[in-house]
Amino acid sequence: MNQVITCILALLTALNLSGCAAVQPPVAQQVSGTMEVHFIDVGQADSELIQCGDKAMLIDGGNVADSSLVVSYLSAQKIDHLDYVVCTHAHEDHVGGLSGPLNKFKVDHVLAPVTNYDSDAFRNFAKYTAAQGLDITVPSVGDNFSLGDASVEVMGPQKLYDETNNTSIVLKVTYGETSFLFPGDAERESEQDMLDAGCDLNATVLKVGHHGSDTSTTYPFLRAVAPSYAVISVGADNSYGHPAESTLSRLRDAEVTVYRTDLQGNIVAVSNGKQISFTTQKEKDVQTNPTESKTEITYIGNINSHVFHRDTCDALPAEKNQVWFESREAAIAAGYKACTRCKP
Ligand SMILES: [Zn+2]
Ligand SMILES: [Zn+2]
């Protein structure tokens, strides 16, 4: 009889009605040694190497042009074998550079949210995966696996999305009492769906979604993750304006210590299971998230409505529709009218 009940319980657990594995409080595992997380500077792209004991996982590989850089970086870390290679989603700045590592190192498991995507970058990734004798595994929410003493859980994507960024595989890596969340380029829809599913998103370190774009790192998501540290993988002077000032501002409000690959190069986080220490390739003390915006622009106009606002107004236009003015006078001289809400 007891066996029947155990079976039913196991079945219910397997059905995973909440849509997320981590509804039960995470059990702090005993760890020995350290786990290293390398945020490799691949410019306007993502690539992270996680090493725990003799196990290693590579999440994304930057653009096609970063492939050999990532291979040399891994070789410098004495990597000759990757237990997991993860393509968070099919955009080139994530999957492009995975071909080199897949060609060079013995790999055990390859994860991606899709098995096909119409781009040369993805076709090459699929080709080198097949050359290893492997199939691409599409993980499900709730899947988990170990990486040495670390445990890895799949938090997203919760649904099938049309928007490729939202298809990003979202992984939480827990090591002792510390944890890292890697949301790829997941945007607000995916963030909200993980919240709605009751995922335990809380993490010590957040790899900021979508290179610090305004479309990710919403307040509710940030409150749930409640990170002490955030790392933004972003290219210097990129054409997207990443990281967005609005995202930086939310991270300031949440009192998160920010690291940035555009300013600090490669960033390495080392966890001993209780605390995390960071080392950066360059400019350790650079101001990564200054309170004042660099040029002290305080008025923001909407290029469509020709209304201007204080930068603190909650009716600011979308980033692509913004024009910034250094003074009230400059905005009026340009033919803009004051917002009736924030009364600049
Ligand atoms: Zn993307
Ligand atoms: Zn991206």
PDB file of all heavy atoms in Angstrom, residues 150-175:
ATOM      1  N   ALA A 150      27.878  21.272  -7.956  1.00  0.00           N
ATOM      2  CA  ALA A 150      26.842  22.263  -8.286  1.00  0.00           C
ATOM      3  C   ALA A 150      25.626  21.558  -8.874  1.00  0.00           C
ATOM      4  O   ALA A 150      25.748  20.486  -9.469  1.00  0.00           O
ATOM      5  CB  ALA A 150      27.376  23.281  -9.293  1.00  0.00           C
ATOM      6  N   SER A 151      24.441  22.171  -8.671  1.00  0.00           N
ATOM      7  CA  SER A 151      23.264  21.626  -9.336  1.00  0.00           C
ATOM      8  C   SER A 151      22.702  22.682 -10.277  1.00  0.00           C
ATOM      9  O   SER A 151      22.771  23.881 -10.004  1.00  0.00           O
ATOM     10  CB  SER A 151      22.216  21.184  -8.317  1.00  0.00           C
ATOM     11  OG  SER A 151      21.786  22.298  -7.584  1.00  0.00           O
ATOM     12  N   VAL A 152      22.205  22.206 -11.411  1.00  0.00           N
ATOM     13  CA  VAL A 152      21.730  23.093 -12.466  1.00  0.00           C
ATOM     14  C   VAL A 152      20.259  22.780 -12.714  1.00  0.00           C
ATOM     15  O   VAL A 152      19.892  21.614 -12.873  1.00  0.00           O
ATOM     16  CB  VAL A 152      22.536  22.885 -13.770  1.00  0.00           C
ATOM     17  CG1 VAL A 152      22.097  23.885 -14.837  1.00  0.00           C
ATOM     18  CG2 VAL A 152      24.040  22.991 -13.505  1.00  0.00           C
ATOM     19  N   GLU A 153      19.420  23.816 -12.700  1.00  0.00           N
ATOM     20  CA  GLU A 153      17.985  23.621 -12.929  1.00  0.00           C
ATOM     21  C   GLU A 153      17.517  24.472 -14.101  1.00  0.00           C
ATOM     22  O   GLU A 153      17.957  25.612 -14.259  1.00  0.00           O
ATOM     23  CB  GLU A 153      17.188  24.071 -11.713  1.00  0.00           C
ATOM     24  CG  GLU A 153      17.429  23.227 -10.484  1.00  0.00           C
ATOM     25  CD  GLU A 153      16.688  23.817  -9.298  1.00  0.00           C
ATOM     26  OE1 GLU A 153      15.461  24.028  -9.425  1.00  0.00           O
ATOM     27  OE2 GLU A 153      17.350  24.099  -8.282  1.00  0.00           O
ATOM     28  N   VAL A 154      16.611  23.915 -14.882  1.00  0.00           N
ATOM     29  CA  VAL A 154      16.047  24.632 -16.025  1.00  0.00           C
ATOM     30  C   VAL A 154      14.785  25.364 -15.567  1.00  0.00           C
ATOM     31  O   VAL A 154      13.820  24.738 -15.130  1.00  0.00           O
ATOM     32  CB  VAL A 154      15.708  23.650 -17.177  1.00  0.00           C
ATOM     33  CG1 VAL A 154      15.090  24.400 -18.356  1.00  0.00           C
ATOM     34  CG2 VAL A 154      16.953  22.884 -17.607  1.00  0.00           C
ATOM     35  N   MET A 155      14.805  26.696 -15.633  1.00  0.00           N
ATOM     36  CA  MET A 155      13.680  27.531 -15.179  1.00  0.00           C
ATOM     37  C   MET A 155      12.831  28.021 -16.356  1.00  0.00           C
ATOM     38  O   MET A 155      11.694  28.442 -16.175  1.00  0.00           O
ATOM     39  CB  MET A 155      14.223  28.765 -14.454  1.00  0.00           C
ATOM     40  CG  MET A 155      15.128  28.445 -13.298  1.00  0.00           C
ATOM     41  SD  MET A 155      14.221  28.583 -11.769  1.00  0.00           S
ATOM     42  CE  MET A 155      15.160  27.531 -10.720  1.00  0.00           C
ATOM     43  N   GLY A 156      13.421  28.037 -17.519  1.00  0.00           N
ATOM     44  CA  GLY A 156      12.689  28.545 -18.677  1.00  0.00           C
ATOM     45  C   GLY A 156      13.343  28.018 -19.947  1.00  0.00           C
ATOM     46  O   GLY A 156      14.410  27.407 -19.874  1.00  0.00           O
ATOM     47  N   PRO A 157      12.695  28.188 -21.107  1.00  0.00           N
ATOM     48  CA  PRO A 157      11.452  28.942 -21.301  1.00  0.00           C
ATOM     49  C   PRO A 157      10.222  28.161 -20.841  1.00  0.00           C
ATOM     50  O   PRO A 157      10.158  26.944 -21.013  1.00  0.00           O
ATOM     51  CB  PRO A 157      11.411  29.150 -22.820  1.00  0.00           C
ATOM     52  CG  PRO A 157      12.150  27.958 -23.368  1.00  0.00           C
ATOM     53  CD  PRO A 157      13.220  27.650 -22.362  1.00  0.00           C
ATOM     54  N   GLN A 158       9.258  28.879 -20.268  1.00  0.00           N
ATOM     55  CA  GLN A 158       8.042  28.264 -19.749  1.00  0.00           C
ATOM     56  C   GLN A 158       7.059  27.890 -20.859  1.00  0.00           C
ATOM     57  O   GLN A 158       6.170  27.079 -20.641  1.00  0.00           O
ATOM     58  CB  GLN A 158       7.342  29.232 -18.786  1.00  0.00           C
ATOM     59  CG  GLN A 158       8.119  29.468 -17.497  1.00  0.00           C
ATOM     60  CD  GLN A 158       7.975  28.316 -16.515  1.00  0.00           C
ATOM     61  OE1 GLN A 158       6.972  27.626 -16.510  1.00  0.00           O
ATOM     62  NE2 GLN A 158       8.980  28.107 -15.691  1.00  0.00           N
ATOM     63  N   LYS A 159       7.209  28.552 -22.034  1.00  0.00           N
ATOM     64  CA  LYS A 159       6.263  28.332 -23.131  1.00  0.00           C
ATOM     65  C   LYS A 159       7.025  28.299 -24.441  1.00  0.00           C
ATOM     66  O   LYS A 159       8.222  28.574 -24.463  1.00  0.00           O
ATOM     67  CB  LYS A 159       5.297  29.530 -23.226  1.00  0.00           C
ATOM     68  CG  LYS A 159       4.327  29.676 -22.103  1.00  0.00           C
ATOM     69  CD  LYS A 159       3.446  30.888 -22.378  1.00  0.00           C
ATOM     70  CE  LYS A 159       2.535  31.152 -21.192  1.00  0.00           C
ATOM     71  NZ  LYS A 159       2.013  32.515 -21.225  1.00  0.00           N
ATOM     72  N   LEU A 160       6.266  28.060 -25.504  1.00  0.00           N
ATOM     73  CA  LEU A 160       6.827  28.270 -26.836  1.00  0.00           C
ATOM     74  C   LEU A 160       6.581  29.730 -27.173  1.00  0.00           C
ATOM     75  O   LEU A 160       5.455  30.218 -27.054  1.00  0.00           O
ATOM     76  CB  LEU A 160       6.127  27.380 -27.864  1.00  0.00           C
ATOM     77  CG  LEU A 160       6.353  25.881 -27.691  1.00  0.00           C
ATOM     78  CD1 LEU A 160       5.467  25.101 -28.661  1.00  0.00           C
ATOM     79  CD2 LEU A 160       7.826  25.529 -27.931  1.00  0.00           C
ATOM     80  N   TYR A 161       7.617  30.428 -27.551  1.00  0.00           N
ATOM     81  CA  TYR A 161       7.472  31.849 -27.888  1.00  0.00           C
ATOM     82  C   TYR A 161       7.855  32.071 -29.347  1.00  0.00           C
ATOM     83  O   TYR A 161       8.700  31.347 -29.891  1.00  0.00           O
ATOM     84  CB  TYR A 161       8.407  32.702 -27.021  1.00  0.00           C
ATOM     85  CG  TYR A 161       8.137  32.630 -25.533  1.00  0.00           C
ATOM     86  CD1 TYR A 161       8.908  31.815 -24.706  1.00  0.00           C
ATOM     87  CD2 TYR A 161       7.143  33.403 -24.949  1.00  0.00           C
ATOM     88  CE1 TYR A 161       8.686  31.762 -23.344  1.00  0.00           C
ATOM     89  CE2 TYR A 161       6.907  33.357 -23.581  1.00  0.00           C
ATOM     90  CZ  TYR A 161       7.683  32.537 -22.786  1.00  0.00           C
ATOM     91  OH  TYR A 161       7.462  32.496 -21.436  1.00  0.00           O
ATOM     92  N   ASP A 162       7.266  33.090 -29.953  1.00  0.00           N
ATOM     93  CA  ASP A 162       7.653  33.474 -31.310  1.00  0.00           C
ATOM     94  C   ASP A 162       8.948  34.281 -31.291  1.00  0.00           C
ATOM     95  O   ASP A 162       9.771  34.187 -32.184  1.00  0.00           O
ATOM     96  CB  ASP A 162       6.552  34.331 -31.968  1.00  0.00           C
ATOM     97  CG  ASP A 162       5.311  33.499 -32.239  1.00  0.00           C
ATOM     98  OD1 ASP A 162       5.454  32.266 -32.384  1.00  0.00           O
ATOM     99  OD2 ASP A 162       4.204  34.079 -32.283  1.00  0.00           O
ATOM    100  N   GLU A 163       9.072  35.103 -30.239  1.00  0.00           N
ATOM    101  CA  GLU A 163      10.221  35.998 -30.142  1.00  0.00           C
ATOM    102  C   GLU A 163      11.428  35.164 -29.703  1.00  0.00           C
ATOM    103  O   GLU A 163      11.420  34.567 -28.633  1.00  0.00           O
ATOM    104  CB  GLU A 163       9.885  37.089 -29.116  1.00  0.00           C
ATOM    105  CG  GLU A 163      10.411  38.455 -29.467  1.00  0.00           C
ATOM    106  CD  GLU A 163      11.917  38.503 -29.403  1.00  0.00           C
ATOM    107  OE1 GLU A 163      12.478  37.999 -28.419  1.00  0.00           O
ATOM    108  OE2 GLU A 163      12.520  39.022 -30.355  1.00  0.00           O
ATOM    109  N   THR A 164      12.455  35.132 -30.549  1.00  0.00           N
ATOM    110  CA  THR A 164      13.598  34.245 -30.286  1.00  0.00           C
ATOM    111  C   THR A 164      14.247  34.502 -28.927  1.00  0.00           C
ATOM    112  O   THR A 164      14.647  33.564 -28.233  1.00  0.00           O
ATOM    113  CB  THR A 164      14.629  34.373 -31.424  1.00  0.00           C
ATOM    114  OG1 THR A 164      13.974  34.017 -32.639  1.00  0.00           O
ATOM    115  CG2 THR A 164      15.821  33.450 -31.217  1.00  0.00           C
ATOM    116  N   ASN A 165      14.364  35.791 -28.523  1.00  0.00           N
ATOM    117  CA  ASN A 165      14.988  36.058 -27.213  1.00  0.00           C
ATOM    118  C   ASN A 165      14.259  35.330 -26.083  1.00  0.00           C
ATOM    119  O   ASN A 165      14.888  34.821 -25.156  1.00  0.00           O
ATOM    120  CB  ASN A 165      14.995  37.565 -26.921  1.00  0.00           C
ATOM    121  CG  ASN A 165      16.083  38.272 -27.702  1.00  0.00           C
ATOM    122  OD1 ASN A 165      17.060  37.656 -28.121  1.00  0.00           O
ATOM    123  ND2 ASN A 165      15.908  39.567 -27.905  1.00  0.00           N
ATOM    124  N   ASN A 166      12.917  35.291 -26.187  1.00  0.00           N
ATOM    125  CA  ASN A 166      12.138  34.642 -25.128  1.00  0.00           C
ATOM    126  C   ASN A 166      12.264  33.123 -25.128  1.00  0.00           C
ATOM    127  O   ASN A 166      11.904  32.478 -24.150  1.00  0.00           O
ATOM    128  CB  ASN A 166      10.664  35.050 -25.224  1.00  0.00           C
ATOM    129  CG  ASN A 166      10.454  36.447 -24.680  1.00  0.00           C
ATOM    130  OD1 ASN A 166      11.142  36.862 -23.749  1.00  0.00           O
ATOM    131  ND2 ASN A 166       9.518  37.182 -25.258  1.00  0.00           N
ATOM    132  N   THR A 167      12.785  32.562 -26.218  1.00  0.00           N
ATOM    133  CA  THR A 167      13.003  31.107 -26.238  1.00  0.00           C
ATOM    134  C   THR A 167      14.231  30.726 -25.410  1.00  0.00           C
ATOM    135  O   THR A 167      14.543  29.546 -25.264  1.00  0.00           O
ATOM    136  CB  THR A 167      13.197  30.573 -27.678  1.00  0.00           C
ATOM    137  OG1 THR A 167      14.448  31.047 -28.198  1.00  0.00           O
ATOM    138  CG2 THR A 167      12.066  30.988 -28.601  1.00  0.00           C
ATOM    139  N   SER A 168      14.953  31.725 -24.904  1.00  0.00           N
ATOM    140  CA  SER A 168      16.200  31.459 -24.168  1.00  0.00           C
ATOM    141  C   SER A 168      16.013  30.423 -23.059  1.00  0.00           C
ATOM    142  O   SER A 168      15.097  30.539 -22.235  1.00  0.00           O
ATOM    143  CB  SER A 168      16.736  32.738 -23.518  1.00  0.00           C
ATOM    144  OG  SER A 168      17.179  33.653 -24.487  1.00  0.00           O
ATOM    145  N   ILE A 169      16.898  29.438 -23.038  1.00  0.00           N
ATOM    146  CA  ILE A 169      16.967  28.501 -21.919  1.00  0.00           C
ATOM    147  C   ILE A 169      17.461  29.290 -20.711  1.00  0.00           C
ATOM    148  O   ILE A 169      18.469  30.005 -20.799  1.00  0.00           O
ATOM    149  CB  ILE A 169      17.950  27.354 -22.218  1.00  0.00           C
ATOM    150  CG1 ILE A 169      17.441  26.497 -23.386  1.00  0.00           C
ATOM    151  CG2 ILE A 169      18.182  26.489 -20.976  1.00  0.00           C
ATOM    152  CD1 ILE A 169      18.427  25.426 -23.834  1.00  0.00           C
ATOM    153  N   VAL A 170      16.729  29.207 -19.616  1.00  0.00           N
ATOM    154  CA  VAL A 170      17.116  29.917 -18.393  1.00  0.00           C
ATOM    155  C   VAL A 170      17.609  28.886 -17.378  1.00  0.00           C
ATOM    156  O   VAL A 170      16.870  27.967 -17.028  1.00  0.00           O
ATOM    157  CB  VAL A 170      15.926  30.712 -17.818  1.00  0.00           C
ATOM    158  CG1 VAL A 170      16.349  31.457 -16.550  1.00  0.00           C
ATOM    159  CG2 VAL A 170      15.379  31.694 -18.866  1.00  0.00           C
ATOM    160  N   LEU A 171      18.851  29.030 -16.961  1.00  0.00           N
ATOM    161  CA  LEU A 171      19.450  28.068 -16.033  1.00  0.00           C
ATOM    162  C   LEU A 171      19.789  28.739 -14.710  1.00  0.00           C
ATOM    163  O   LEU A 171      20.265  29.866 -14.684  1.00  0.00           O
ATOM    164  CB  LEU A 171      20.746  27.484 -16.625  1.00  0.00           C
ATOM    165  CG  LEU A 171      20.631  26.668 -17.905  1.00  0.00           C
ATOM    166  CD1 LEU A 171      22.012  26.185 -18.340  1.00  0.00           C
ATOM    167  CD2 LEU A 171      19.679  25.489 -17.738  1.00  0.00           C
ATOM    168  N   LYS A 172      19.520  28.008 -13.632  1.00  0.00           N
ATOM    169  CA  LYS A 172      19.979  28.448 -12.320  1.00  0.00           C
ATOM    170  C   LYS A 172      20.995  27.427 -11.827  1.00  0.00           C
ATOM    171  O   LYS A 172      20.718  26.225 -11.788  1.00  0.00           O
ATOM    172  CB  LYS A 172      18.805  28.548 -11.348  1.00  0.00           C
ATOM    173  CG  LYS A 172      19.226  28.952  -9.931  1.00  0.00           C
ATOM    174  CD  LYS A 172      18.007  29.243  -9.079  1.00  0.00           C
ATOM    175  CE  LYS A 172      18.370  29.355  -7.611  1.00  0.00           C
ATOM    176  NZ  LYS A 172      17.189  29.707  -6.793  1.00  0.00           N
ATOM    177  N   VAL A 173      22.166  27.917 -11.482  1.00  0.00           N
ATOM    178  CA  VAL A 173      23.251  27.058 -11.009  1.00  0.00           C
ATOM    179  C   VAL A 173      23.453  27.341  -9.524  1.00  0.00           C
ATOM    180  O   VAL A 173      23.716  28.482  -9.138  1.00  0.00           O
ATOM    181  CB  VAL A 173      24.553  27.335 -11.787  1.00  0.00           C
ATOM    182  CG1 VAL A 173      25.679  26.428 -11.278  1.00  0.00           C
ATOM    183  CG2 VAL A 173      24.340  27.136 -13.291  1.00  0.00           C
ATOM    184  N   THR A 174      23.278  26.302  -8.710  1.00  0.00           N
ATOM    185  CA  THR A 174      23.397  26.471  -7.258  1.00  0.00           C
ATOM    186  C   THR A 174      24.636  25.737  -6.762  1.00  0.00           C
ATOM    187  O   THR A 174      24.867  24.570  -7.120  1.00  0.00           O
ATOM    188  CB  THR A 174      22.138  25.912  -6.554  1.00  0.00           C
ATOM    189  OG1 THR A 174      20.992  26.576  -7.088  1.00  0.00           O
ATOM    190  CG2 THR A 174      22.192  26.158  -5.051  1.00  0.00           C
ATOM    191  N   TYR A 175      25.428  26.449  -5.974  1.00  0.00           N
ATOM    192  CA  TYR A 175      26.637  25.855  -5.397  1.00  0.00           C
ATOM    193  C   TYR A 175      26.657  26.216  -3.921  1.00  0.00           C
ATOM    194  O   TYR A 175      26.842  27.388  -3.564  1.00  0.00           O
ATOM    195  CB  TYR A 175      27.877  26.392  -6.116  1.00  0.00           C
ATOM    196  CG  TYR A 175      29.172  25.763  -5.655  1.00  0.00           C
ATOM    197  CD1 TYR A 175      29.496  24.448  -6.004  1.00  0.00           C
ATOM    198  CD2 TYR A 175      30.075  26.470  -4.881  1.00  0.00           C
ATOM    199  CE1 TYR A 175      30.683  23.871  -5.584  1.00  0.00           C
ATOM    200  CE2 TYR A 175      31.276  25.895  -4.453  1.00  0.00           C
ATOM    201  CZ  TYR A 175      31.566  24.601  -4.810  1.00  0.00           C
ATOM    202  OH  TYR A 175      32.736  24.025  -4.397  1.00  0.00           O
TER     203      TYR A 175
END
